[in-house]
Every structure is written in structure tokens, then in C-alpha cells.
Amino acid sequence: MKKKFKLIHKTGKIFLDKRGWLKKILDGNFSSFIEIFSKKGSIRANHYHKKDQHFMYIIKGECLYFYRDRKKGAKTKYKLMKKNDLFFTPSMQEHMAYYTKDTHFLAFSTRKRSKFDYEKDLIRINMNYYPEVKNKIEKYKKRNKKF
């Protein structure tokens, strides 16, 4: 039986002593672990993967994260992801991030991220042209005029 999709995941508790602290972010078998910085107003992803799945953990900043199941008629959903959020993208799920602040994050992937392997697994799309995505981004900008 296939597990129900779960976007948000909890990180472990913080262990503190005189040397400082540590926090378990995630357990799993990963082929790739990437540190990424995105500038405010930029868009990343805008694709789906045939087989790859990944977790993202935001160290600093935030993004509007849009996602949609590839099933016919599925609705586009979104969530504002912020510092310390850990979230998951399964294979065959369209996804796009619109960065509302300069954002530093980590991506944990199940497949290698060499250019060849990555491109072979990737299908590019244009979620930023979906009316519901454009509208949410514009509404966010209007509410946050300093943007």
C-alpha cells in the first residue's frame, strides 16, 4: 500500500551541551546532498522528476512552494515555507519555489545530481504561468509591499 503524501516533516529535537548544540534534520538513504542559495524574487525548480524524490530544509529565508500531483484535474497547492521547515517532494509531483526572501537551504535527493542523471530524470514545466500560481505570487507581493 502506498503511503499517503506528507509535505511537512518534523526535525529531531535539539541536543545542547557546553560545546554548543546539534539537531538531527533527517534520516535516510540519499545519493545527493546540496546546499543552495536563492535570491529574493527568483524561481527554482519549475519541473517534476520521473524517479527522484527530495527533501528540502530551509536554514534561512522563505519561499512560496507550489506543488501539484500529475493526476488529471489535480489542484495546484502552495505553502509558505520558512526557516527550519523540512518538506518533501515525491516523484511525479510538479513543484516550483518562488523566493520571497534571500534563502539558504539544503536539498537531500534520492538520486545522483550529476548533470546527465539529473537532466535525464527531469521534465521541465512552467508553473509560473499557471493562473493560480501567478495570482498567489501577485497577492503575496501586494500584501508585502516592501517586497
Side-chain angles (χ1 to χ4, degrees):
M1 177 182 240
K2 191 174 179 180
K3 286 170 102 176
K4 186 176 181 206
F5 169 68
K6 182 179 170 187
L7 177 68
I8 303 294
H9 292 259
K10 291 184 178 179
T11 58
K13 72 180 202 180
I14 294 175
F15 296 93
L16 184 66
D17 68 16
K18 64 182 180 182
R19 300 168 293 172
W21 59 268
L22 63 90
K23 175 172 62 172
K24 179 170 64 173
I25 296 173
L26 185 62
D27 282 327
N29 295 319
F30 303 102
S31 293
S32 176
F33 175 66
I34 301 170
E35 180 178 19
I36 302 168
F37 175 79
S38 295
K39 292 182 179 182
K40 177 181 174 179
S42 65
I43 291 174
R44 284 198 187 267
N46 223 356
H47 58 235
Y48 66 91
H49 302 274
K50 293 182 244 178
K51 295 182 180 175
D52 191 26
Q53 305 176 69
H54 52 78
F55 283 89
M56 291 171 55
Y57 177 75
I58 297 186
I59 296 169
K60 181 181 179 185
E62 65 181 36
C63 69
L64 286 172
Y65 189 74
F66 297 90
Y67 57 102
R68 188 178 79 88
D69 196 329
R70 296 279 305 149
K71 292 178 194 161
K72 188 173 184 176
K75 290 187 175 185
T76 302
K77 299 176 183 175
Y78 79 101
K79 182 153 179 59
L80 181 64
M81 299 300 188
K82 298 178 179 181
K83 180 180 177 177
N84 293 323
D85 281 346
L86 174 67
F87 52 105
F88 177 68
T89 303
S91 57
M92 299 303 290
Q93 184 181 77
E94 296 178 1
H95 55 284
M96 183 194 100
Y98 177 80
Y99 294 91
T100 58
K101 295 181 178 178
D102 285 352
T103 302
H104 183 199
F105 66 98
L106 305 174
F108 308 82
S109 299
T110 58
R111 295 177 59 91
K112 289 182 180 180
R113 284 289 179 116
S114 69
K115 180 100 171 125
F116 176 76
D117 289 325
Y118 184 73
E119 293 296 331
K120 195 165 81 169
D121 184 59
L122 186 84
I123 304 296
R124 296 190 190 285
I125 56 174
N126 291 302
M127 288 185 84
N128 54 312
Y129 295 128
Y130 294 3
E132 65 274 25
V133 172
K134 286 173 78 169
N135 290 341
K136 292 292 181 194
I137 291 171
E138 287 308 313
K139 280 183 183 177
Y140 182 88
K141 286 179 178 179
K142 284 180 184 174
R143 263 189 306 218
N144 299 279
K145 292 187 183 191
K146 288 187 271 179
F147 190 80

